[in-house]
Amino acid sequence: QVQLKESGGGSVQEGGSLTLSCTASETIFASNPMDFYRQAPGKQRELVARIRSGRYPDYADSVRGRFTISRDNAKNTIYLQMNALKPEDTAVYYCRARDSGIDYWGQGTQVTVWGQGTQVTVSS
């Protein structure tokens, strides 16, 4: 049974960058897709990026141009480079791999993006 382990989540300010990694316990055929999904509180899980050999990566419209997915088959690992992060990117990010017709999921890693903040001044 394939096990997936994500890493690289954390907290970052708006405009910052993070890189997620997902390593599979076994070799996933390069032709099989590996994906990153995310789920924000109160929302459905959505596909963020997908990679498979011989095809251009697929990206959600909301992240295209900011996120880049890559794959190192020798390390059974995929990466998600996330730049220009926005507060709406805050979610739990999951890795998914398909092997022999079965979908495997990682445990998820939290990504939190803080806004710039608003100055509040109280005067008497």
Side-chain angles (χ1 to χ4, degrees):
Q1 182 172 350
V2 176
Q3 293 183 335
L4 303 174
K5 182 174 177 58
E6 299 107 335
S7 61
S11 296
V12 65
Q13 201 162 18
E14 183 175 7
S17 299
L18 285 172
T19 300
L20 305 183
S21 300
C22 171
T23 299
S25 59
E26 301 176 15
T27 298
I28 305 293
F29 285 114
S31 60
N32 289 354
M34 292 187 70
D35 321 309
F36 279 101
Y37 281 74
R38 68 185 180 188
Q39 187 166 19
K43 294 189 176 181
Q44 288 189 330
R45 192 172 296 189
E46 62 173 351
L47 176 66
V48 176
R50 169 171 293 162
I51 189 166
R52 48 191 160 183
S53 293
R55 299 192 183 191
Y56 289 108
D58 297 318
Y59 296 97
D61 289 343
S62 58
V63 307
R64 187 174 291 111
R66 299 187 297 122
F67 291 10
T68 302
I69 190 170
S70 60
R71 184 169 182 166
D72 187 336
N73 291 321
K75 296 181 178 179
N76 297 332
T77 299
I78 61 171
Y79 304 93
L80 186 68
Q81 174 67 42
M82 305 184 293
N83 298 325
L85 283 161
K86 305 175 181 180
E88 51 262 44
D89 294 318
T90 295
V92 177
Y93 284 69
Y94 298 90
C95 175
R96 188 198 76 155
R98 175 166 291 179
D99 188 62
S100 300
I102 300 173
D103 286 342
Y104 298 94
W105 292 88
Q107 81 286 355
T109 185
Q110 177 71 44
V111 171
T112 302
V113 184
W114 300 94
Q116 299 292 352
T118 300
Q119 177 68 44
V120 176
T121 303
V122 178
S123 60
S124 59

